[in-house]
Amino acid sequence: MSISWRQTLLLNAVAVILLPLAAPALAQPAGPPPLPRLMTPRSIASAPAATPDQVLGYGEAEVQKAELFLPRPDPANPDALRPVVVTIHGGCWVASTAGREQMRAAAASFLDKGFAVWNIGYRRVDEPGGGYPGTFQDVAKALDLLREQAEANKLDLQRVILFGHSAGAHLALWAAGRAKLPADSVLRSDTPLKPRGVVGVGSIGDLKWFADQVDPICAPGTLAKLVGLPAAAEAVAPAAAEAAAEGATVPAEAAAPIPRADPFADTSPAALLPTGVPIVLLHGVYDSVTYPYVGLQFAMAARKAGDRADIQIAPMAGHFEVVVPGTPAFAQALAAVERLAR
C-alpha cells in the first residue's frame, strides 16, 4: 500500500509533536563516565619482574651497579646480535624512592621482544658522592660499561635504545647529548657511547625551564644538589660528614659544589641540543608530575635545533602507567622502542 503525500505530512507532524515527549525517556542519563584510577609507585612494585642474569659493579656504592638481562637465543639465528634497551629509573633523583628494581617489570617486557636489557643504578643527590657531578658520572660510567659486555653477550651496540622514566628520562636525554658537553665540564669524556634513540616516559628535557618545579615536586634542595648550585653546599656537607664518620670514602665533590658560570650548561639536555639522536617522549594525559607540555616544550626545542623529536600522549594514563607493562600506555612506549631499534 502506497502512502500519499498528505499522509506523509500527517505522519511527520505527529512525529514532531510526540518526539519531544518521548525524548526524555529515551535519553535518560546513565550518569557521568567513571574517572580514571591512576597508578602509583606501588603499581610498579607489584608488576611481575624479571630476574637479571648478571649484576656488575662500576663503583663502590651499592647503587653503582648495572643489571644485565638476556633474552632467549633465536633458534633460527643463535649468533645474531641482540638490540639493547638501557633502562634508567626515576624517583626524583632521591634515595627515598626505589632504584633499579623500578625497571625490572619493564625489563621483562623488553626481553619478550628479543631485547637485552641493561638496567642501571646511580647515586642519588642525597647519597654520598651523588648530586653534581656524581649522579651524572655514574650514568655515564654505567652506560660505557656496556661496551665491555657486548662481545661475550652478543650485544648490538649499534642498536642501543635509552629508556628512562621521569628523573631517569632526564638522565637518558642527557646521556644522549654527552658528546656535546662543554670542553671544560668534569662530566665530559672522550668516547661516550652514542645511543640509536631515546624513549623518555614522563620526561624532563629542559631542566632550566623546569627548575622552579623540581623542589616542590621532589624535596627542598633537590635541584641545587643535582646541578651543583652553591645553595647545595650546606645540604650536602652534613651528609658527607656523616658518611665520613662511618668510615665511608666520600669524594671531594660531595663536600661542596663545583663552581660554574652556568650550572645547566652540562646538566640540562636542552643545553646539549642538537644531539643527532632521535627521541620519542611519552606523557600520560593526566600526569600531574611531568605534565604533557613539559615534553612538548622540549620536543619543539629539539626540532628547532634540527633533531628528530616526537611526542605522544597516553590517554587515561598518569605518571606511572607509562612504565607498567600491561597498560595501553606502556604498550605505546614499547612500540616506540621497537621502532627506534629497527
Side-chain angles (χ1 to χ4, degrees):
M1 180 181 71
S2 62
I3 299 176
S4 69
W5 65 271
R6 288 188 177 87
Q7 290 173 314
T8 301
L9 287 177
L10 180 60
L11 290 172
N12 287 341
V14 172
V16 169
I17 293 171
L18 295 180
L19 187 60
L21 300 177
L26 295 174
Q28 286 295 326
L35 295 176
R37 295 184 62 182
L38 300 179
M39 289 184 168
T40 68
R42 289 177 179 235
S43 306
I44 303 176
S46 61
T51 301
D53 294 280
Q54 302 176 41
V55 180
L56 299 101
Y58 62 87
E60 295 180 1
E62 173 59 29
V63 296
Q64 291 177 300
K65 288 183 172 66
E67 300 172 340
L68 178 62
F69 302 77
L70 296 172
R72 294 178 181 176
D74 181 358
N77 191 3
D79 294 324
L81 295 181
R82 299 149 166 165
V84 184
V85 179
V86 176
T87 50
I88 309 178
H89 69 82
C92 262
W93 307 277
V94 297
S96 58
T97 61
R100 299 187 305 273
E101 57 269 34
Q102 288 190 52
M103 304 303 275
R104 290 174 188 157
S109 292
F110 292 130
L111 288 172
D112 288 342
K113 294 295 183 178
F115 289 93
V117 178
W118 186 243
N119 183 32
I120 69 174
Y122 53 90
R123 291 171 294 177
R124 275 69 68 88
V125 300
D126 49 354
E127 294 179 299
Y132 183 88
T135 295
F136 297 92
Q137 290 173 331
D138 282 1
V139 172
K141 289 177 182 177
L143 185 57
D144 290 341
L145 181 63
L146 184 60
R147 283 195 183 101
E148 299 178 17
Q149 311 307 314
E151 183 176 357
N153 295 290
K154 298 184 176 66
L155 307 180
D156 189 348
L157 297 182
Q158 302 305 310
R159 289 192 295 162
V160 174
I161 308 299
L162 307 186
F163 179 84
H165 175 231
S166 194
H170 155 256
L171 293 170
L173 293 169
W174 171 84
R178 288 169 58 206
K180 301 292 293 293
L181 285 166
D184 60 349
S185 172
V186 297
L187 304 181
R188 188 175 176 87
S189 58
D190 293 333
T191 56
L193 180 65
K194 184 176 181 178
R196 183 165 182 150
V198 179
V199 175
V201 293
S203 60
I204 303 165
D206 192 335
L207 193 58
K208 187 174 185 178
W209 179 84
F210 197 71
D212 62 352
Q213 301 174 68
V214 171
D215 285 8
I217 292 171
C218 297
T222 299
L223 178 73
K225 295 178 220 176
L226 178 65
V227 303
L229 290 170
E234 293 181 3
V236 174
E242 181 179 349
E246 296 176 356
T249 300
V250 180
E253 68 268 14
I258 299 172
R260 288 123 63 223
D262 180 3
F264 297 100
D266 58 354
T267 58
S268 175
L272 307 177
L273 295 173
T275 65
V277 177
I279 64 171
V280 176
L281 307 175
L282 175 64
H283 290 260
V285 69
Y286 297 117
D287 189 340
S288 62
V289 179
T290 51
Y291 45 92
Y293 187 74
V294 179
L296 177 62
Q297 187 268 349
F298 181 68
M300 291 189 296
R303 284 193 179 187
K304 185 176 180 181
D307 281 339
R308 283 175 50 198
D310 293 311
I311 181 168
Q312 299 179 12
I313 303 301
M316 304 300 286
H319 191 62
F320 297 101
E321 285 80 358
V322 292
V323 79
V324 177
T327 65
F330 183 78
Q332 285 182 252
L334 182 56
V337 169
E338 291 185 288
R339 284 195 300 273
L340 288 174
R342 287 176 191 154

